[in-house]
């Protein structure tokens, strides 16, 4: 079941301050409360690394980077020290790369899982190629309900995806065929249309802002299918999988 958490000062836009994948979790290093970090730790400790970081001194890391189990793409605003910290902290197999893309809020411009990515139509051609190479995905330039910031209005895992609530059925069918996962239109945080600001997921768990209603939570659970609990067998299998992959 998805977990409700909040950032400092009752901020429910938890996706702005975190990035969750199947191989790692990044958490804002500017948080003044330990509760935000421990919210992720309660579900992820011992399974994947949880890394606190900033990007260019900013804590809005979820908006600024994009990644999956294969790689992590970072904007040109990241400092050399921050870049090295991430390279040192993430599994060796995860490719960590800084890119010179004018649209530096990569998390707002790109949505991806481990196999496919939706990208802002105006991204540089070189950026599209880097996304494909570093993340190991097929890239589609798309809009979602006429919005170019596909990373803001879509959240994906390998199990499913949630998109802007005004997305037409025909568009969802087209996107679902491209991404080869089921999609649903919805909101988080009591009606927020900016899906990625209030939701971050991987293939077995999900976190959403604390203002997310029971109905919204049920939609998240139905499309992403997070595991109801984290039995020892799951942790053991995930750890074994990561060791086999990264060593």
């Amino acid at each position: 079941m998805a977990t409700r958490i909040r950032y400092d000062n009752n901020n429910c836009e938890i996706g702005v301050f975190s990035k969750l994948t199947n191989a790692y979790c990044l958490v804002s290093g500017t948080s003044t409360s330990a509760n935000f970090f421990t919210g992720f730790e309660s579900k992820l400790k011992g399974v994947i690394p949880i890394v606190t970081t900033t990007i260019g001194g900013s804590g809005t890391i979820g908006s600024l980077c994009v990644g999956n189990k294969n790689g992590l793409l970072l904007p040109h605003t990241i400092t050399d020290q921050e870049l090295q910290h991430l390279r040192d902290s993430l599994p060796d197999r995860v490719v960590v790369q800084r890119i010179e893309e004018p649209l530096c809020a990569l998390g707002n411009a790109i949505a991806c899982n481990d196999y496919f990515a939706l990208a802002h139509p105006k991204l540089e051609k070189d950026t599209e190629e880097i996304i494909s190479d570093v993340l190991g995905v097929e890239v589609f330039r798309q809009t979602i309900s006429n919005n170019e910031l596909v990373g803001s209005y879509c959240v994906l895992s390998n199990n499913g995806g949630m998109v802007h609530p005004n997305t037409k059925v025909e568009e969802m069918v087209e996107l679902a065929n491209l991404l080869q996962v089921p999609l649903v239109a919805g909101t988080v945080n009591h009606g927020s249309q900016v899906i990625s600001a209030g939701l971050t997921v991987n293939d077995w768990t999900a976190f959403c802002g604390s203002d997310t209603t029971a109905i919204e939570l049920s939609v998240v659970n139905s499309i992403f299918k997070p595991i109801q609990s984290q039995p020892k067998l799951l942790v053991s299998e995930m750890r074994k999988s990561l060791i086999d992959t990264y060593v």
Side-chain angles (χ1 to χ4, degrees):
M1 185 173 180
T3 302
R4 293 187 182 104
I5 59 175
R6 65 180 60 189
Y7 189 65
D8 299 353
N9 300 319
N10 298 326
N11 190 326
C12 295
E13 295 190 335
I14 57 100
V16 173
F17 301 98
S18 63
K19 180 66 66 177
L20 176 62
T21 76
N22 287 330
Y24 55 87
C25 177
L26 306 183
V27 179
S28 172
T30 61
S31 174
T32 59
S33 169
N35 293 337
F36 189 57
F37 181 88
T38 55
F40 288 96
E41 190 178 43
S42 66
K43 297 293 184 180
L44 304 175
K45 185 178 181 180
V47 185
I48 57 175
I50 310 169
V51 181
T52 57
T53 189
T54 54
I55 296 177
S58 172
T60 58
I61 58 173
S63 300
L64 294 172
C65 70
V66 63
N68 62 11
K69 71 174 184 179
N70 301 314
L72 175 65
L73 293 175
L74 299 151
H76 60 82
T77 55
I78 193 168
T79 67
D80 291 342
Q81 183 179 8
E82 291 167 335
L83 184 63
Q84 191 59 51
H85 167 62
L86 287 168
R87 286 176 171 160
D88 291 342
S89 302
L90 297 183
D92 290 342
R93 187 180 178 276
V94 176
V95 180
V96 179
Q97 184 164 333
R98 175 168 48 195
I99 59 175
E100 298 296 328
E101 164 59 49
L103 297 172
C104 63
L106 300 176
N108 293 337
I110 305 161
C112 74
N113 59 17
D114 292 337
Y115 303 100
F116 301 98
L118 300 179
H120 191 295
K122 295 177 183 176
L123 282 181
E124 298 284 330
K125 179 62 177 176
D126 288 347
T127 300
E128 181 180 346
E129 294 174 358
I130 292 170
I131 295 169
S132 179
D133 291 342
V134 173
L135 302 186
V137 295
E138 189 172 356
V139 182
F140 303 106
R141 291 175 181 260
Q142 290 286 327
T143 61
I144 294 178
S145 189
N146 295 319
N147 293 291
E148 294 183 331
L149 294 175
V150 292
S152 296
Y153 297 103
C154 176
V155 169
L156 297 173
S157 75
N158 297 329
N159 299 325
M162 180 177 286
V163 296
H164 190 286
N166 294 339
T167 307
K168 295 179 180 179
V169 173
E170 297 82 0
E171 185 180 355
M172 278 200 293
V173 170
E174 178 184 350
L175 290 172
N177 287 335
L178 284 178
L179 300 170
Q180 299 179 30
V181 293
L183 297 178
V184 66
T187 60
V188 292
N189 281 337
H190 205 276
S192 173
Q193 300 177 349
V194 188
I195 308 299
S196 70
L199 176 67
T200 188
V201 305
N202 66 12
D203 284 356
W204 72 89
T205 193
F207 299 88
C208 55
S210 57
D211 281 351
T212 300
T213 67
I215 293 175
E216 290 171 331
L217 197 66
S218 70
V219 175
V220 170
N221 288 327
S222 67
I223 194 65
F224 293 109
K225 299 177 173 60
I227 295 169
Q228 296 301 314
S229 61
Q230 213 172 71
K232 291 182 179 179
L233 178 61
L234 169 66
V235 175
S236 175
E237 287 302 311
M238 283 302 305
R239 187 180 294 146
K240 180 177 182 296
S241 173
L242 287 171
I243 291 172
D244 289 345
T245 301
Y246 298 133
V247 174

